[in-house]
Amino acid sequence: MGHVEVGRLTYVLPDGRPLLNEVSFRIGEGVKAALVGPNGAGKTTLMRLIAGDVRPVEGSVASSGGLGVMRQFIGGIRDGRTVHELLLSVAPERVREAARKLEEAELVMMERDDEKAQLRYAQAITDYTDAGGYDIEVLWDTCTVAALGAPYDNVKYREVNTLSGGEQKRLVLEALLRGPDQTLLLDEPDNYLDVPGKQWLEQALRETPKTVLLVSHDRQLLANAADRIVTVESGGVWVHGGGFATYAEARRERNERLDELRRRWDEEHAKLKRLVTMLKQKAMYNDGMAPAYHAAQTRLRRFEEAGPPEVAPKDQKISMRLRGGRTGKRAVICEGLELTGLMKPFDLEVWYGERVAVLGSNGSGKSHFLRLVGGEDVRHTGVVRLGARVVPGHFAQTHARPELRGRTPCEIVMSEHAKLKNEAMKALARYELAGSIAEQRFETLSGGQQARLQILLLELSGATLLLLDEPTDNLDLASAEALQEGLDQFDGTVLAVTHDRWFAADFDRYLVFRADGRVEESTEPVWDEARVVRPR
């Protein structure tokens, strides 16, 4: 069994901004704890500190039982790594080190097959065996069959960038949950998973005896799988000992209690200062009052040195003013539409003002469909057209916006929407992207901050048809709720691909991309469509 203990951890960003201040908490054996908080509050940084990827200014981290880590971006998406290398990256350190030496020995053998090289190769094989390398490959076989539908030997040299995001996540999760490490750090493990995948993850988390600390923005997953909520906000951390169902009320009560303590402290502080001032005046003409004056000074000094109680964190005030505009009655028309190799032909009419959720398993063509409706060049047969005055605006699932890299949010809003700097800053402030965040480069923003900026750009674009591809994946809890409120006020049409069960409950219609290639409508969400595993 494992545990994690963080003691008085302090971290300062490379630009000198303090992020975490004397953070302390403990996750006991077998506990499933969720790390939540505003985007940019330091959740991923805290996970990296616990994993040892970065070093704190002060404080300590302790863990037991071996530490398995799924990072926010698991790698291999663009760098050409293989399935073998991806699995090895989440294996225990002793296996990784033995595998590295074995690979080096194999390269030497390819260059020169002499006795020294042979002995080195034989020793590397022995070390890899002793480290458990071949044993873990047997485990990986189970993982690849579960995640990819094929044995390990058949897929180990396959490039990871040929897998979907959901397949990558599922493969790494299988390896960590089945592996030897008893303490797991999972940074947004549910991103890219379809709902059957999320339900599998929820069940796996409930059943595993391992200790788990995870970051997630999926409110349904938090409600179903977490029995502790660790909140990162305002540079500190506090722990709610119950589940997500009681979290909002617990946070409200805590903030009210902190406000009351601060009010009392301010009152006592003012009272002591008045007393010191009064006694000082009396001591000026009555020497007998000097001891009382000095005693009051000492009391005030000690009171101030002890400091005020913690200030209650401010609630995020995100205001998404998605305006839209009146369009023709029929906003989207599809006739005999088929995306080549992904689905069977289907017809669809989406009317002005409707909210249509696009559901289905990973790999079924949902994102391609949104891109096609948005005007991108996607191979297809049949017809898709937009109604009168329909202006599409696309939110990309991957946040892959190379044109935004190297530019700050302020520069982006000013250049793309002809805004003066003060106008741009006001708009950014409504999305909690003002201040220092407005001057950071796009690629240095957190995933949630990038998502909020993309939504702001949609707002400013004047789009009357919102094409949202997994918009809540990286949004913190307050931002996801603000988006739902913004969509409620939006005067236009919404098509959204989502695996967020909480978010989908607000929609009018459901377009389901089924596992057998059929595309059908449903009046209720359909989450049980499992991807058909094709022979590899």
Side-chain angles (χ1 to χ4, degrees):
M1 298 293 283
H3 85 288
V4 172
E5 188 161 0
V6 172
R8 302 180 69 84
L9 208 62
T10 297
Y11 184 76
V12 176
L13 293 168
D15 62 7
R17 289 180 294 130
L19 184 66
L20 301 170
N21 182 41
E22 296 193 346
V23 165
S24 298
F25 64 94
R26 186 180 192 279
I27 308 300
E29 294 181 353
V31 171
K32 312 303 181 290
L35 203 59
V36 304
N39 295 133
K43 300 185 295 296
T44 292
T45 299
L46 183 53
M47 295 285 267
R48 295 181 66 208
L49 286 162
I50 296 171
D53 296 341
V54 293
R55 297 180 62 85
V57 175
E58 292 180 341
S60 62
V61 175
S63 63
S64 63
L67 197 63
V69 182
M70 169 185 269
R71 290 168 176 82
Q72 185 176 20
F73 303 105
I74 60 178
I77 296 175
R78 299 183 183 86
D79 61 11
R81 287 203 296 175
T82 64
V83 166
H84 165 75
E85 291 168 322
L86 177 61
L87 288 169
L88 191 61
S89 72
V90 294
E93 185 176 355
R94 65 183 184 278
V95 176
R96 296 200 303 271
E97 180 63 18
R100 183 185 64 80
K101 292 181 178 178
L102 177 58
E103 184 178 352
E104 290 174 353
E106 288 173 342
L107 291 174
V108 171
M109 280 284 290
M110 292 172 64
E111 294 173 359
R112 52 184 177 83
D113 189 9
D114 56 22
E115 183 179 359
K116 184 176 180 181
Q118 291 172 356
L119 288 173
R120 178 180 178 182
Y121 182 56
Q123 184 61 51
I125 291 176
T126 301
D127 292 343
Y128 187 63
T129 303
D130 292 344
Y134 292 110
D135 292 334
I136 208 166
E137 287 186 18
V138 175
L139 173 70
W140 290 345
D141 189 72
T142 305
C143 297
T144 58
V145 169
L148 307 178
Y152 170 67
D153 284 341
N154 290 10
V155 297
K156 64 181 178 181
Y157 297 122
R158 183 177 174 184
E159 290 191 0
V160 174
N161 58 15
T162 65
L163 304 179
S164 71
E167 287 173 324
Q168 293 178 40
K169 289 273 185 171
R170 177 68 183 265
L171 183 58
V172 171
L173 285 167
E174 291 278 2
L176 289 172
L177 287 164
R178 296 173 186 272
D181 292 320
Q182 294 301 301
T183 301
L184 303 182
L185 305 179
L186 309 178
D187 196 350
E188 300 193 10
D190 52 293
N191 276 12
Y192 302 111
L193 291 183
D194 54 20
V195 171
K198 292 185 179 187
Q199 291 170 334
W200 163 81
L201 176 58
E202 291 166 2
Q203 182 176 352
L205 290 174
R206 289 193 298 267
E207 292 177 352
T208 184
K210 298 184 180 189
T211 302
V212 180
L213 178 62
L214 65 96
V215 174
S216 176
H217 300 123
D218 188 303
R219 290 162 285 184
Q220 197 65 55
L221 184 141
L222 293 174
N224 292 345
D227 46 35
R228 298 284 189 282
I229 306 294
V230 182
T231 304
V232 184
E233 54 187 352
S234 300
V237 161
W238 63 277
V239 179
H240 171 51
F244 187 68
T246 56
Y247 170 70
E249 180 65 16
R251 184 177 183 274
R252 184 186 63 78
E253 291 177 353
R254 178 180 184 271
N255 287 351
E256 288 176 353
R257 185 166 62 253
L258 290 175
D259 285 338
E260 176 63 16
L261 290 173
R262 183 59 188 247
R263 184 187 64 78
R264 293 180 182 179
W265 190 91
D266 287 341
E267 288 177 352
E268 182 66 15
H269 190 210
K271 179 181 176 181
L272 287 174
K273 288 199 294 185
R274 287 196 300 271
L275 178 63
V276 168
T277 300
M278 180 190 70
L279 292 175
K280 178 181 179 181
Q281 293 172 344
K282 290 186 176 181
M284 291 175 64
Y285 56 83
N286 185 348
D287 291 342
M289 297 299 295
Y293 168 54
H294 292 308
Q297 280 185 309
T298 300
R299 185 179 172 190
L300 176 60
R301 186 183 68 253
R302 289 175 178 171
F303 184 84
E304 291 176 336
E305 287 174 351
E310 179 183 349
V311 176
K314 292 182 179 179
D315 288 331
Q316 294 185 84
K317 295 182 179 178
I318 301 169
S319 175
M320 299 184 179
R321 299 174 184 171
L322 298 164
R323 294 184 176 84
R326 184 75 194 189
T327 69
K329 290 184 178 180
R330 294 195 300 175
V332 180
I333 305 99
C334 300
E335 297 172 349
L337 179 63
E338 176 185 1
L339 270 63
T340 308
L342 290 174
M343 66 191 67
K344 297 176 181 178
F346 70 97
D347 299 329
L348 174 71
E349 287 186 340
V350 179
W351 298 82
Y352 160 76
E354 284 190 313
R355 274 59 173 152
V356 180
V358 183
L359 312 179
S361 61
N362 289 327
S364 58
K366 303 184 303 299
S367 295
H368 287 75
F369 171 61
L370 246 60
R371 288 170 49 211
L372 177 63
V373 174
E376 293 189 37
D377 185 15
V378 178
R379 288 181 59 196
H380 70 284
T381 58
V383 174
V384 58
R385 65 179 186 273
L386 304 181
R389 298 182 300 281
V390 173
V391 179
H394 186 216
F395 177 100
Q397 179 188 25
T398 61
H399 301 182
R401 300 287 297 271
E403 76 279 10
L404 302 184
R405 294 182 65 84
R407 301 161 64 194
T408 69
C410 186
E411 291 169 345
I412 292 167
V413 171
M414 288 173 65
S415 63
E416 297 202 5
H417 297 285
K419 297 287 185 182
L420 298 174
K421 185 169 184 178
N422 65 329
E423 294 174 331
M425 293 301 286
K426 286 180 180 178
L428 290 165
R430 289 193 288 102
Y431 281 70
E432 298 258 333
L433 294 172
S436 61
I437 298 173
E439 304 301 332
Q440 292 179 232
R441 295 190 309 276
F442 176 79
E443 63 270 21
T444 68
L445 302 176
S446 72
Q449 290 166 340
Q450 290 181 358
R452 291 207 303 271
L453 178 59
Q454 283 201 79
I455 296 169
L456 171 58
L457 295 178
L458 285 181
E459 173 190 310
L460 297 175
S461 73
T464 57
L465 168 65
L466 298 182
L467 305 170
L468 309 178
D469 196 351
E470 299 285 3
T472 61
D473 258 8
N474 291 297
L475 293 179
D476 58 42
L477 304 179
S479 300
E481 291 175 1
L483 174 59
Q484 288 183 247
E485 292 172 3
L487 293 179
D488 287 342
Q489 304 301 317
F490 177 63
D491 181 21
T493 309
V494 180
L495 272 174
V497 171
T498 186
H499 294 126
D500 184 336
R501 290 155 287 179
W502 207 292
F503 179 62
D506 278 358
F507 282 70
D508 306 320
R509 295 165 59 192
Y510 301 93
L511 188 66
V512 183
F513 282 52
R514 297 206 176 264
D516 61 3
R518 290 178 298 126
V519 178
E520 298 180 343
E521 288 197 47
S522 171
T523 56
E524 298 292 335
V526 176
W527 302 118
D528 59 353
E529 283 299 309
R531 179 179 59 85
V532 175
V533 177
R534 300 175 178 85
R536 305 252 181 215

